[in-house]
Amino acid sequence: MKKVEDMHLVQKKWLTPQIVQMTLKGGLVLQMNRPGQFVHLRVPDGSTLLRRPISIHAIDQEELIFDVIFRIEGKGTKLLSKLTVGDTIHVMGPLGNGFPVSVPQVQSGNTACLIGGGIGTPPLYELSKQLKQKGMQVIHILGFGSEKECILEDAFTKLGQTLISTVDGSKGTHGFVTDILKDKDIQADIYYSCGPVPMFSALEALNLPAPVYVSYEERMACGMGACYACVCKNKNQEGYKRICKEGPVFQAGEVEI
C-alpha cells in the first residue's frame, strides 16, 4: 500500500490568525477512507528532523484532495504554515486507528453525538459526513476558548445540529462542552470526541449511557509505532498502547488519561 508521496498544495486559507487550512492533492488520497486517521508531514526546510502529525479534516477521493487544519504551535507548524499554493509537501499516511464507523450503534435512524474541543474539532468533520451517509442523525457540540477561536461552525451546521460553548461566554453557552451535555440532556446511541485530555476526563465523569470513543493528541516521533515515544498506559490491564498505532482513537476508559 502506498504510504508516502510528494503532494501538491492546491488551496490555503486562514481560519484564525493562528489556524490554517490546507488542501493537498495526490494519489495518496485513495488510501484515505477512515475518519480520525492522521498524516505525518515533513517540515519543508529540513532543519526540523521530526515530521508533524496532523489529523485529516476532510477527504474527497473523486478530486484526489484532502484537507488538514492545524494551529501554529512551534517551529515546525510555523514553517508548514508558510507554504504557498503550488508548493509540494512530503506526506506519509494515512496513519493510526481512526473512529469506528462499522460498530452496531452506527445504523440508519440512530443518533451520534460528536464532541470537539478547540483544534480537536477538525477531524470530526469527515466523521460526521460518513455518519450522515449511513443515515445517522448527528449532533455536534463544539467548545472553544472564545468566539475569536471558533472555527467550522457553518460547515458542521450543514450536517446537523451544532451547539457551541466558549470558556469566556462570548459565543453560545458560557462554559464547557460538558455543560451543554448536562444542561440539554443530550442522548445519543454513540459518542465521539476529539480535543484536550481534561475534556476526556470530564466526559468520563458523566457516565454517558452509550459507547464513547475519544481521539488523543500526543507528541510523536516515527508515527508508525516503532519508537514507542507516544505510549499511554492500559487502564485495566498491564502494558501500554501506542497512540500513533493502536490509537489515536480509543474507547473511553481503555487507557489512562
Side-chain angles (χ1 to χ4, degrees):
M1 180 182 293
K2 191 176 186 181
K3 281 286 186 179
V4 294
E5 182 179 358
D6 286 319
M7 304 187 76
H8 296 280
L9 176 58
V10 297
Q11 187 174 345
K12 173 185 175 183
K13 62 179 178 180
W14 291 92
L15 305 183
T16 76
Q18 294 295 316
I19 298 176
V20 63
Q21 179 172 348
M22 291 183 172
T23 303
L24 306 179
K25 184 168 186 174
L28 199 62
V29 177
L30 294 176
Q31 306 297 332
M32 300 177 183
N33 48 45
R34 188 169 183 181
Q37 291 187 298
F38 66 95
V39 291
H40 232 21
L41 304 182
R42 179 182 292 166
V43 178
D45 75 343
S47 64
T48 303
L49 177 63
L50 298 179
R51 293 173 180 262
R52 292 299 182 268
I54 309 290
S55 296
I56 296 170
H57 165 59
I59 303 165
D60 185 337
Q61 292 189 331
E62 290 187 2
E63 298 294 331
L64 291 181
I65 58 174
F66 80 102
D67 285 22
V68 292
I69 294 175
F70 61 91
R71 180 173 56 204
I72 297 174
E73 298 282 4
K75 180 180 179 181
T77 47
K78 186 174 183 179
L79 289 170
L80 285 169
S81 75
K82 291 183 177 180
L83 292 169
T84 59
V85 171
D87 287 341
T88 59
I89 305 176
H90 195 266
V91 180
M92 177 187 297
L95 300 171
N97 177 44
F99 291 109
V101 292
S102 298
V103 291
Q105 294 82 8
V106 176
Q107 55 182 287
S108 181
N110 279 2
T111 299
C113 182
L114 281 57
I115 305 159
I119 200 63
T121 298
L124 297 177
Y125 179 72
E126 179 64 31
L127 172 63
S128 185
K129 284 199 310 178
Q130 294 195 21
L131 294 174
K132 286 283 288 184
Q133 290 168 359
K134 291 177 176 288
M136 296 277 287
Q137 299 292 319
V138 291
I139 302 171
H140 314 105
I141 304 176
L142 311 178
F144 304 94
S146 68
E147 182 176 11
K148 292 181 179 179
E149 299 170 22
C150 182
I151 60 173
L152 303 174
E153 181 182 5
D154 290 343
F156 278 101
T157 299
K158 291 177 181 178
L159 296 174
Q161 182 183 10
T162 301
L163 305 171
I164 304 292
S165 70
T166 52
V167 175
D168 66 1
S170 55
K171 185 177 181 66
T173 297
H174 187 182
F176 303 96
V177 292
T178 47
D179 294 320
I180 294 179
L181 279 166
K182 290 184 292 186
D183 294 345
K184 295 188 178 295
D185 191 28
I186 293 175
Q187 302 294 312
D189 298 285
I190 190 168
Y191 297 83
Y192 300 95
S193 184
C194 184
V197 168
M199 186 177 77
F200 298 150
S201 297
L203 287 175
E204 284 193 11
L206 291 179
N207 293 315
L208 294 168
V212 181
Y213 293 90
V214 297
S215 178
Y216 286 81
E217 299 173 346
E218 184 57 85
R219 289 185 176 273
M220 298 179 186
C222 74
M224 297 181 293
C227 68
Y228 284 78
C230 62
V231 295
C232 52
K233 191 174 182 180
N234 284 324
K235 192 167 187 177
N236 297 314
Q237 55 183 316
E238 294 183 357
Y240 295 83
K241 290 190 176 180
R242 298 161 292 183
I243 289 179
C244 70
K245 187 73 172 180
E246 287 80 34
V249 177
F250 299 99
Q251 189 163 0
E254 185 175 351
V255 297
E256 289 190 1
I257 295 177

